Amino acid sequence: MDEPTPLTAEDFASDQTVKWCPGCGDYSVLKQVQSVLPTLGLRREEIVFVSGIGCSSRFPYYMNTYGMHSIHGRAPAVATGLKTTRPELSVWVITGDGDGLSIGGNHLIHLFRRNSDVNVLLFNNEIYGLTKGQLSPTSRPGLHTQSSPLGSVSKPFNAAGLALGAGAGFVARTLDRNPKHLREVLRQAHRHPGTSFVEIYQNCPVFNDGAFKAFTDKQTQATHALYAEMGKPLRFGEKSERGIRLEGLRPQVVSITDCTADELWIHDSRDKVKAQLLAQYFEDESELPQVFGVLYKEERPTYEALIAEQRRQVMAQRGTGKLDDLLRGTDGWTVT
Ligand code: SF4
Ligand code: MG
């Protein structure tokens, strides 16, 4: 029998015209997802993209896979139901900072604690794009928007920190403008058996241009972005001349000439306390860089595996039963 022809990125692109604004970071994420999928050994009919509402939620239209453009903020609930009943499918949630953290914040945190084997890609552009530029839960203090003309006064969510706090077993942060890093994070998210949360800093050139410029601009990226790799010291700078050392739980920037290699913080993505530090701490500390990479990885049973096991045990005790008997129940009554 002939071997099936290997799929390419083009095989995963649908015939729909992509309708995002010119220069939108969403194009890069779409391209990287379409590039990575052929390397995962899946057939198109085994993959489902579920989205909510927002610019990024147009994503399923552009994929030549199964997909569902669901309701605002509810993609995690739809994906959990799908994965529970069809665990053999590769299920991906596409959401944004508004869809995933505001309208759908509740659904997202419950996906994390349940641990369905679903990959969540959260396009974080720190703004509502589709509705023309209002504050989102990740907008930074002082940001002038349609709904905060005098500047935002609210503290934003740290999406990665929120996911860790809600029990996500895989938490990563990456950028639209670092395609290689994004592809590697996507591969790791797919491999992780449980909910994988990938926060993607995504530039919205129309309503919040340059929000992540410090991490992508050639002049500043080396000193503002640190790429954490498992088992390696946290280092950054033009020539990797700076590192992070922990004083108790307090990170300090050091010159690597001023300390020995084993004094530096070695990234261990199994350590949840340190993952919280990586996700949260750096944001308020101007001297410290923002951290990208897989911050945390922990394997535990998935929701669908636990449900299947529970069902198997109950059926072993009580048999398969009949739907009609189930619907009638055992404690019905007659109204006279
Ligand atoms: Fe992209 Fe912003 Fe346009 Fe939405 S509004 S498509 S996020 S550039
Ligand atoms: Mg947004």
Side-chain angles (χ1 to χ4, degrees):
M1 203 169 79
D2 288 344
E3 286 287 313
T5 314
L7 296 174
T8 64
E10 288 70 39
D11 293 316
F12 284 93
S14 77
D15 59 0
Q16 298 296 299
T17 306
V18 182
K19 290 182 182 167
W20 286 313
C21 309
C24 177
D26 292 5
Y27 287 97
S28 169
V29 187
L30 178 66
K31 188 155 184 242
Q32 306 327 314
V33 171
Q34 289 172 339
S35 305
V36 163
L37 288 180
T39 69
L40 303 183
L42 298 166
R43 299 193 308 266
R44 284 176 302 191
E45 59 271 28
E46 294 172 317
I47 303 170
V48 189
F49 283 86
V50 184
S51 66
I53 298 294
C55 294
S56 57
S57 287
R58 300 187 62 79
F59 204 95
Y61 293 116
Y62 308 140
M63 297 301 302
N64 194 8
T65 62
Y66 283 110
M68 182 175 180
H69 191 180
S70 76
I71 18 179
H72 214 347
R74 272 61 179 178
V78 173
T80 302
L82 178 61
K83 188 68 187 177
T84 307
T85 50
R86 295 288 306 275
E88 74 279 14
L89 296 174
S90 174
V91 180
W92 300 68
V93 164
I94 304 293
T95 186
D97 41 309
D99 183 66
L101 299 175
S102 186
I103 298 98
N106 207 2
H107 291 283
L108 195 61
I109 56 176
H110 291 287
L111 173 62
F112 293 150
R113 76 177 170 85
R114 288 187 180 121
N115 198 37
S116 286
D117 188 8
V118 166
N119 307 304
V120 181
L121 309 187
L122 187 138
F123 294 48
N124 182 6
N125 53 18
E126 300 186 352
I127 198 83
Y128 277 89
L130 190 73
T131 50
K132 312 274 178 271
Q134 297 83 15
L135 272 188
S136 89
T138 54
S139 296
R140 292 181 210 174
L143 188 73
H144 294 257
T145 72
Q146 299 278 359
S147 56
S148 61
L150 301 179
S152 171
V153 294
S154 304
K155 183 169 171 59
F157 268 144
N158 176 311
L162 182 79
L164 285 163
F170 179 104
V171 177
R173 187 187 285 140
T174 183
L175 297 133
D176 56 359
R177 297 206 182 171
N178 190 337
K180 188 166 171 239
H181 189 256
L182 175 47
R183 289 196 298 272
E184 180 49 31
V185 168
L186 292 173
R187 272 189 279 271
Q188 290 201 47
H190 165 74
R191 280 200 294 269
H192 177 74
T195 307
S196 302
F197 177 66
V198 180
E199 179 187 17
I200 305 169
Y201 283 179
Q202 173 252 317
N203 192 43
C204 168
V206 175
F207 296 110
N208 200 14
D209 194 27
F212 309 110
K213 198 162 172 256
F215 316 126
T216 57
D217 196 281
K218 280 202 166 46
Q219 269 72 50
T220 54
Q221 61 183 6
T223 49
H224 287 70
L226 186 157
Y227 288 90
E229 287 181 65
M230 178 68 176
K232 296 198 177 160
L234 298 181
R235 288 176 62 171
F236 66 108
E238 288 291 345
K239 296 183 177 150
S240 290
E241 72 282 7
R242 294 184 221 179
I244 309 283
R245 186 172 56 192
L246 272 180
E247 284 288 318
L249 285 178
R250 193 169 180 81
Q252 283 183 339
V253 174
V254 289
S255 162
I256 58 157
T257 53
D258 294 342
C259 64
T260 59
D262 54 4
E263 282 181 72
L264 291 176
W265 176 344
I266 308 295
H267 180 47
D268 182 353
S269 55
R270 298 163 301 185
D271 189 324
K272 193 164 185 178
V273 172
K274 289 184 180 167
Q276 271 292 5
L277 284 179
L278 292 175
Q280 297 262 10
Y281 196 89
F282 295 128
E283 64 181 10
D284 300 326
E285 301 283 324
S286 56
E287 194 198 14
L288 292 163
Q290 187 70 273
V291 181
F292 299 90
V294 177
L295 307 183
Y296 184 63
K297 198 155 58 159
E298 169 216 25
E299 287 191 24
R300 64 178 202 267
T302 63
Y303 181 69
E304 54 276 14
L306 294 171
I307 290 283
E309 176 57 18
Q310 191 179 53
R311 193 170 52 208
R312 192 193 63 71
Q313 284 181 12
V314 170
M315 283 167 64
Q317 286 165 7
R318 302 186 198 170
T320 51
K322 293 196 179 88
L323 181 62
D324 198 44
D325 294 343
L326 180 71
L327 292 175
R328 285 174 191 280
T330 53
D331 58 352
W333 64 92
T334 304
V335 177
T336 54

